Amino acid sequence: TRAHREYQLHTWHRLHLAARSHESTPPPTYPLSVESITRVAALFKEGGFHSFDGFASHAKAEHLHGQSGNYDWCPGLDLALRNASRSVNRGIGMVRQSRPIDVAAIARLQSDGMPLTQKGPISPIEFAVVGSLYLLREIEITAACRKHLEFEASGLRVTWNLPTLKTDTRALGAYRTWTFLCTDPNLRPVCPYHSLLRHCARLKVLAAGEGLSLLDMPLFPTVAGSEVDKPESVATLVQLTRMIGSRTVSDTGGQLY
């Protein structure tokens, strides 16, 4: 999907700059070179990424047909990508599973609705609560728009139009409905109806202040009204986990979320 492609290209660009952070004037990300591929791959390997080939495929496509220009592709670049792929994927093991977050504890936190990271989503508590209740991945909740929600005030229900495929966040058609949970005092903090109602009131104020179309806005945007990327989503959840006193790093130094 477009959002996934942009995330992967953005990640490649960030790692390209990180690999050249010691240089006062780093070369542009494109055209790719054997050296730039090798440097970026080294950071992918260090970070334990499990999907290097997907990032590399999008970077190659951007090199050939991207906004920066249409550059030639040579056997040397193919060889560099193959070598990089073998190196990054060698001995990588199983995908790391994140620990579950304590949604109830997060819902009891106090917040003014401002992001917890520089480019994170507004309403971070509601972001975590409804994302968990609707069983959404980071890429699915950040790709959602306000128009994908429908409130039914008479029944205190909220229906979310969600993707039907995990591989395409824009392929909508799976409707999931929650009713209010406030009749149970223990569930009141995690009520999806009132969590989304509270958040959408903030979203309406943001849309008016930024002069944006409310219905077309990302459901959980940045304070500027733009779409949040996956690293900022993860960073927000990690920060919330710290705020409730849970560990975010294992005894061996690995990330738990």
Side-chain angles (χ1 to χ4, degrees), residues 111-249:
S111 171
D112 59 1
M114 294 300 291
L116 297 177
T117 64
Q118 185 176 4
K119 294 184 179 180
I122 64 170
S123 304
I125 292 176
E126 289 80 4
F127 177 83
V129 169
V130 301
S132 298
L133 291 175
Y134 280 89
L135 304 177
L136 301 178
R137 297 173 299 158
E138 294 91 345
I139 193 171
E140 291 167 338
I141 191 169
T142 55
C145 295
R146 170 60 184 87
K147 61 187 175 185
H148 298 156
L149 285 186
E150 183 176 345
F151 289 92
E152 185 184 334
S154 60
L156 297 178
R157 297 187 184 93
V158 57
T159 299
W160 197 328
N161 187 0
L162 295 165
T164 58
L165 301 171
K166 283 189 172 294
T167 55
D168 189 352
T169 57
R170 309 294 179 179
L172 304 179
Y175 295 90
R176 197 172 299 160
T177 300
W178 272 95
T179 57
F180 80 116
L181 304 176
C182 296
T183 53
D184 186 336
N186 294 321
L187 296 178
R188 190 171 298 153
V190 296
C191 175
Y193 179 82
H194 286 103
S195 292
L196 282 169
L197 202 64
R198 183 167 56 248
H199 164 66
C200 286
R202 296 184 186 127
L203 194 62
K204 186 175 182 179
V205 173
L206 177 61
E210 296 292 328
L212 300 172
S213 168
L214 175 61
L215 292 181
D216 292 326
M217 284 184 68
L219 182 57
F220 284 94
T222 66
V223 289
S226 58
E227 189 172 309
V228 175
D229 63 23
K230 181 177 178 179
E232 292 289 338
S233 301
V234 174
T236 295
L237 295 176
V238 169
Q239 184 62 25
L240 286 168
T241 304
R242 290 195 184 108
M243 290 169 66
I244 61 174
S246 295
R247 296 176 61 191
T248 60
V249 180

Side-chain angles (χ1 to χ4, degrees), residues 23-124:
E23 301 178 21
S24 57
T25 308
T29 307
Y30 303 99
L32 298 176
S33 67
V34 172
E35 182 183 3
S36 71
I37 290 171
T38 303
R39 286 173 177 264
V40 169
L43 294 183
F44 270 96
K45 187 176 181 68
E46 183 179 348
F49 280 77
H50 282 72
S51 52
F52 171 79
D53 293 343
F55 289 87
S57 176
H58 280 113
K60 177 179 178 180
E62 185 70 11
H63 170 101
L64 290 169
H65 310 295
Q67 296 180 355
S68 302
N70 301 324
Y71 300 106
D72 292 333
W73 192 257
C74 66
L77 293 175
D78 258 336
L79 179 61
L81 276 184
R82 287 198 301 272
N83 289 340
S85 176
R86 282 196 294 269
S87 176
V88 174
N89 294 323
R90 186 181 299 121
I92 201 166
M94 298 177 61
V95 175
R96 177 181 64 83
Q97 296 294 315
S98 296
R99 285 191 175 182
I101 61 174
D102 189 340
V103 180
I106 288 175
R108 289 192 290 268
L109 292 172
Q110 298 298 314
S111 171
D112 59 1
M114 294 300 291
L116 297 177
T117 64
Q118 185 176 4
K119 294 184 179 180
I122 64 170
S123 304

